[in-house]
Amino acid sequence: MSPTRLLVPLALSLLAACATQTKQNVTVEKQSECPARLNNGQNLILILPSNPTTGYRWAIQDSAGGVLRALSPEVYSNPEDAGLVGSAGISTWRFQSFATGTGRLRLTYSQPWAPEVPAVKTFDCAISVN
């Protein structure tokens, strides 16, 4: 067999392997994108609207600790095009799946100094890791 005939099947099999490769990051921005399904080792990026200038903050109530580990604390950013002091932005968390199983990622949006007041928003996402 000629070398060219050997390279064609090899090249096709490598292309097929690349096409079936899963993404390293899974991004969730809305409750409707849940439940989230991850492969072991994949990263979950959670992005939620936030405005800490109002005194409201997201607090993690359940971190799906049996299947996810935090890669970073919450990072707040303000959209560059807003240009207004006190305008809303986004809070971002990064997690990595490390074990097969299920868990819940639950957050509440409230004023930390007023625990008796119910949260104004909640985020509850079922997490499944294969």
Side-chain angles (χ1 to χ4, degrees), residues 14-99:
L14 287 173
L15 283 173
C18 290
T20 60
Q21 198 173 34
T22 58
K23 297 185 300 183
Q24 181 60 28
N25 295 325
V26 173
T27 302
V28 173
E29 297 183 52
K30 299 177 202 153
Q31 184 79 43
S32 62
E33 296 172 342
C34 294
R37 290 175 175 74
L38 304 166
N39 291 319
N40 201 351
Q42 270 188 310
N43 297 332
L44 173 69
I45 300 171
L46 176 61
I47 301 171
L48 297 174
S50 182
N51 191 350
T53 63
T54 62
Y56 286 90
R57 298 294 310 246
W58 285 103
I60 297 176
Q61 304 300 320
D62 189 346
S63 65
V67 293
L68 294 179
R69 73 172 140 247
L71 294 177
S72 68
E74 172 188 8
V75 175
Y76 174 77
S77 58
N78 202 1
E80 293 177 22
D81 60 348
L84 300 172
V85 174
S87 61
I90 57 172
S91 289
T92 304
W93 297 262
R94 296 178 189 280
F95 301 91
Q96 184 176 50
S97 60
F98 70 91

Side-chain angles (χ1 to χ4, degrees), residues 101-113:
T102 60
R104 294 201 85 72
L105 185 56
R106 290 186 322 107
L107 293 90
T108 55
Y109 192 64
S110 60
Q111 294 175 323
W113 64 84

